[in-house]
Amino acid sequence: MPSPFRSRALAVVSSIPVGTVMSYGDVAAAAGAPRAARQVGYALADLAGHTDVPWHRVVRASGALALAESTTGALLQRARLEAEGVPWRGDRVDIGRCRHVAEPLKSP
DNA sequence: TCTGTGACCGCGG
DNA sequence: ACCGCGGCCACAG
C-alpha cells in the first residue's frame, strides 16, 4: 500500500483535467503538504509507467519538464501533452495558459 | 532515532 | 534569461 501522502498526491494527479497541467508544488499543496514538492516527484518516479495515473500532466513550476531532455520519458510526456493540446513555448509548457488550480483534498 | 536522498522551489547575482 | 545555492520534507534503510 502506498503511504498516505503518496496516495493523496496520486489522487490529485488523477484529477488533473485533459489539456491542463499542475506543478509539483501545486500537487503537493493540494495534497496537504505545500512544501513537499520533491515527494511528489518521488511518488511519480516509483510509478515508472505501469499505471493509469496521468503523470505527464505534472511539470516544474517554470513549465519545464522534470525529466532530462531526450530521455524516452521526456519524449513520451511531451508527445502526450501535445496530443492533448497543451500550449508550448519553446521547450516548455506555457504554464500561464494551461495551469490547473485544484482545490485542496477534502478528507485527509 | 538519525541520516541520506530527490521527476522540486524560489530567490539572489 | 540563465545559473548556483540553501531550504524543504516524506520516506527508506
Side-chain angles (χ1 to χ4, degrees):
Chain A
M1 274 305 271
S3 308
F5 173 78
R6 219 136 102 163
S7 49
R8 268 179 289 157
L10 294 179
V12 171
V13 173
S14 300
S15 78
I16 306 175
V18 173
T20 69
V21 301
M22 281 179 79
S23 73
Y24 289 84
D26 288 341
V27 173
R35 274 153 263 162
R38 304 181 73 148
Q39 298 325 133
V40 176
Y42 220 171
L44 294 186
D46 270 6
L47 297 178
H50 335 87
T51 175
D52 34 40
V53 175
W55 57 269
H56 57 279
R57 303 200 189 122
V58 186
V59 301
R60 292 192 186 172
S62 64
L65 302 188
L67 295 111
E69 239 182 291
S70 302
T71 60
T72 56
L75 293 173
L76 175 62
Q77 182 173 23
R78 177 154 187 163
R80 287 188 178 177
L81 290 175
E82 285 178 343
E84 294 181 359
V86 168
W88 289 86
R89 225 179 50 185
D91 58 346
R92 47 178 97 176
V93 166
D94 187 339
I95 205 96
R97 293 209 294 140
C98 62
R99 179 167 183 251
H100 171 65
V101 282
E103 51 185 300
L105 238 46
K106 317 211 155 142
S107 31

